[in-house]
Every structure is written in structure tokens, then in C-alpha cells.
Amino acid sequence: MSSDGSNDGEHRTSYTTAGAGYTRDARYITTRITRDGEDGYPVEPGRYRLVAARACPWANRTLIVRRLLGLEDALSVGLPGPTHDDRSWTFDLDPDGVDPVLGIHFLRDAYLRRDPGYPLGITVPAIVEVSSGAVVTNDFAQITLDFSTEWTDYHREGAPDLLPAAHRDEMDQVMRRIYTEVNNGVYRCGFAGSQESYDEAYDRLWTALDWLEERLTSQRYLVGDTITEADVRLFTTLARFDPVYHGHFKCNRQKLTELPALWAYARDLFQTPGFGDTIDFEQIKQHYYVVHHDVNPTGIVPKGPNLAGWLTPHHREQLGGRPFGDGTPPGPVRDGERVTAGHSPLA
Ligand SMILES: N[C@@H](CCC(=O)N[C@@H](CS)C(=O)NCC(=O)O)C(=O)O
């Protein structure tokens, strides 16, 4: 069971069909990398490699938080390509299709190193121990929390506090609702197996988006007046909304661009260093439209939507807020970690 304690929602390959709806298989490798190493894996610079496909919203969170906190030197990153087959994500973007640090083509190999009979989905994000080549954890919700709380010795100077103690209870409530209703809510629409389950999923998603639209009309960020982990979690779904979820997953009451507060909020974050510079819209589209054969049997990837709007002024400063609190924005994206030119209005 994941650290979210939830098995609600849907998952592409690790899902189980329950009647016409879907239930996400929320069993993960929940070993933690901690300061005291109580699970056998202490925080140690250079010891681990984060594997995170840019296409995946859950993996995208880890790329954002790693960059906001400045963990690039302590934790290297491997970036599988946008698509995968029934076996595994692959490092098809790397020279010869092999991750230069792990020396593998299939991410599956790192899972099988951990457990030769690994029975579940080969998912990203995953953190792999470089020396053993074995996956340590793929517990996506815990990974970013641990970046904030266990890797503090390696945070950059000026790293923001993404889990401010004063707001933690409220954050947990907000993140919980965002997870079940929005992050998973779009999948629940897209993978619905009957009209009835789709209708229900659609209503449930839009109830939550209406709540967020209202909440973000009067406040710049989800909780408090700085960016937090809650914003990271909502942002990765919003970035995929018009390119993918609106059409491919039939979440089409409105586009993100038709929701004034949410669209301005998403642009504000997109234009904040550490958020938009992790987004590869081309990889995102490739992933969903190619991998989900049953939803899109032709595999045709749409050319649109036009993305120029992401860089237009958002005017959210008028709501106040201090994005990085007492901290500072991260510096430029590292060489070798930039989004491919032409794949985003920022790239
Ligand atoms: N958050 C996900 C875990 C991460 C995840 O689902 N990643 C997807 C990509 S967006 C994945 O790796 N799918 C490959 C597979 O399941 O085989 C979950 O709740 O199950």
C-alpha cells in the first residue's frame, strides 16, 4: 500500500478491473531512503539514481522537487523515453538506448534486480541504487516528501520549504483530495469501462476542479502564501490537461484555458523556475496517445493545442504571495537535463 494509503483511482498496467470502473494498484516498493538509513538505505550523495520519465505526471513531481531543492549534485537522474511496451519503460533517448549510469536498456532490469519475480507494474518514478542496480523505492508519494525531509543536508542554499510545518495539516487534506479527485480523477474518466462509470468520474472530477477554481480565485497558492508540495502535485496534472486529459481522457467540460483562476495559476507556476522547465509537452502527448492503444487505437498524436499561452502574463502577483518564501528560485537547468528544444514554449 502506498504512503497515500489509497487504492482509489486507476493505473494503466497495474490496475484491476472492478466491474466497469478501475482500481489503482497502490502497492509499491515502500523502502525508504532516510537520513538514519533505517531501511538499509541511508541518504548518500551519488549512491542513487532517480529514474523519471518526463511524460509521467507522478515522475514529473520528483523532477520538480529535485530541482526546487537543488538535489541535482546529490541525486543523478535517468530519463526514459516517453513510451513503453508491455515489458517496460526503456532508455531509448540515451546513446545506444542504454542509461549511461545504470547500464541498462529496460527499467525492468532494475526491478528484477530487486526482486527476480517482481509481479507488479514497472513504474516511474523509481530510485535505483547504482552499485547494486536494484530499485530501492517506487513509492511516488513518499519520494518527494523524503526529498524535503530526509535529504536536507544536500539541499541548495535558498531551497524553499515545500512542507511548511505550520500548514502541514491543511496541506495533507488538500493533497489528499487532489490525489483522489484530480490526479487520479482524470485517469478514472479516461479508463472508465462503461458510460455510467465515466459519467460518475466526470462529475466527480469537475466537482473538484470547481472547488480548486474557487479556492485559487482569491489565493495565489493552494496553501499558505508560498509554493508547497501541494502545488507541485496539482501542477503536473494541470500541465497535461489540455494536451491530453481534455480530449484523450474525455475530461472536456472545459479546457484549462477556459478556467480563469486555474489557468492563471498554472501559468504562474509554469513560469516559476523549477516547474515549467521540467515540462516536455511532446513527450507527454507521445506517452498517452501512443501507450494507451485501447483508448487511441490509431496511435495518432495530435499536433495541438497551441501552447503559446503558457508564457502570457498571469497577473497572480496581485494576490500577493512569496513563491520561494525566505528562499530563492533555483538557478538554470543543468546541462543534459534541459527539455528538448521545440518541446515546450520555454525550450
Ligand atoms: N502514481 C502511480 C505510479 C506511477 C505510475 O503510474 N507511473 C506510470 C506512468 S504515468 C507508469 O510507470 N506506468 C507503467 C506501468 O504501469 O507499467 C500509481 O499510483 O500507480
Side-chain angles (χ1 to χ4, degrees):
M1 184 63 87
S2 88
S3 49
D4 276 275
S6 166
N7 64 356
D8 182 63
E10 312 73 25
H11 183 272
R12 196 61 213 130
T13 57
S14 318
Y15 63 73
T16 51
T17 306
Y22 289 101
T23 304
R24 182 177 293 274
D25 184 337
R27 290 170 295 164
Y28 298 104
I29 304 173
T30 54
T31 307
R32 286 178 61 194
I33 298 168
T34 53
R35 183 180 288 107
D36 62 12
E38 66 179 325
D39 287 356
Y41 296 94
V43 166
E44 195 184 305
R47 180 162 171 170
Y48 308 99
R49 188 160 175 83
L50 170 67
V51 178
R54 288 197 188 283
C56 168
W58 319 96
N60 197 164
R61 295 177 180 189
T62 64
L63 295 175
I64 295 171
V65 173
R66 170 177 173 271
R67 192 160 139 58
L68 291 173
L69 299 179
L71 289 173
E72 292 98 324
D73 289 334
L75 179 67
S76 69
V77 71
L79 299 166
T83 59
H84 57 81
D85 59 19
D86 289 344
R87 287 167 298 179
S88 182
W89 292 91
T90 54
F91 292 97
D92 48 314
L93 302 177
D94 288 299
D96 302 322
V98 171
D99 178 84
V101 171
L102 300 174
I104 54 175
H105 175 61
F106 291 107
L107 177 58
R108 185 182 57 163
D109 293 351
Y111 275 82
L112 297 181
R113 272 283 170 87
R114 172 70 188 251
D115 172 1
Y118 188 72
L120 302 171
I122 307 298
T123 59
V124 289
I127 299 184
V128 179
E129 185 183 40
V130 176
S131 61
S132 64
V135 169
V136 179
T137 177
N138 66 348
D139 188 353
F140 72 100
Q142 192 63 45
I143 288 173
T144 45
L145 299 178
D146 286 343
F147 284 176
S148 275
T149 58
E150 303 293 329
W151 290 73
T152 40
D153 290 347
Y154 303 98
H155 288 182
R156 68 180 170 88
E157 216 182 306
D161 180 1
L162 299 176
L163 296 173
H167 296 296
R168 193 56 208 269
D169 289 348
E170 190 184 357
M171 279 183 68
D172 285 344
Q173 279 176 24
V174 167
M175 292 195 299
R176 169 86 200 155
R177 188 164 176 193
I178 287 173
Y179 174 69
T180 61
E181 305 305 298
V182 181
N183 303 142
N184 269 347
V186 292
Y187 283 85
R188 200 180 294 113
C189 291
F191 295 155
S194 73
Q195 187 67 50
E196 197 186 4
S197 61
Y198 164 73
D199 289 350
E200 213 174 280
Y202 174 101
D203 290 343
R204 203 170 145 182
L205 170 68
W206 285 100
T207 297
L209 289 174
D210 285 342
W211 159 65
L212 288 166
E213 174 71 14
E214 195 185 325
R215 186 176 180 102
L216 290 166
T217 296
S218 54
Q219 65 190 65
R220 186 162 175 193
Y221 300 112
L222 278 170
V223 180
D225 69 346
T226 62
I227 52 167
T228 67
E229 168 97 19
D231 297 299
V232 174
R233 293 181 177 203
L234 178 56
F235 175 73
T236 61
T237 293
L238 296 181
R240 287 158 179 75
F241 202 85
D242 287 2
V244 177
Y245 303 144
H246 179 270
H248 182 67
F249 278 177
K250 306 184 185 77
C251 302
N252 64 354
R253 196 187 80 185
Q254 278 140 293
K255 296 185 188 121
L256 174 65
T257 54
E258 294 165 349
L259 300 165
L262 274 166
W263 173 223
Y265 164 83
R267 265 144 59 221
D268 186 4
L269 292 179
F270 185 80
Q271 295 169 29
T272 300
F275 285 83
D277 50 39
T278 68
I279 300 288
D280 185 320
F281 288 106
E282 286 307 315
Q283 288 197 22
I284 288 169
K285 289 194 295 183
Q286 284 283 335
H287 171 69
Y288 286 92
Y289 288 99
V290 172
V291 168
H292 301 162
H293 306 286
D294 44 354
V295 181
N296 185 39
T298 64
I300 291 170
V301 181
K303 287 182 89 168
N306 183 326
L307 301 167
W310 280 98
L311 293 184
T312 58
H314 51 75
H315 306 299
R316 299 278 294 176
E317 307 86 357
Q318 291 165 7
L319 293 170
R322 304 177 305 140
F324 289 89
D326 295 329
T328 54
V333 181
R334 298 295 168 92
D335 284 344
E337 294 191 10
R338 291 198 194 90
V339 168
T340 305
H343 287 196
S344 153
L346 280 174

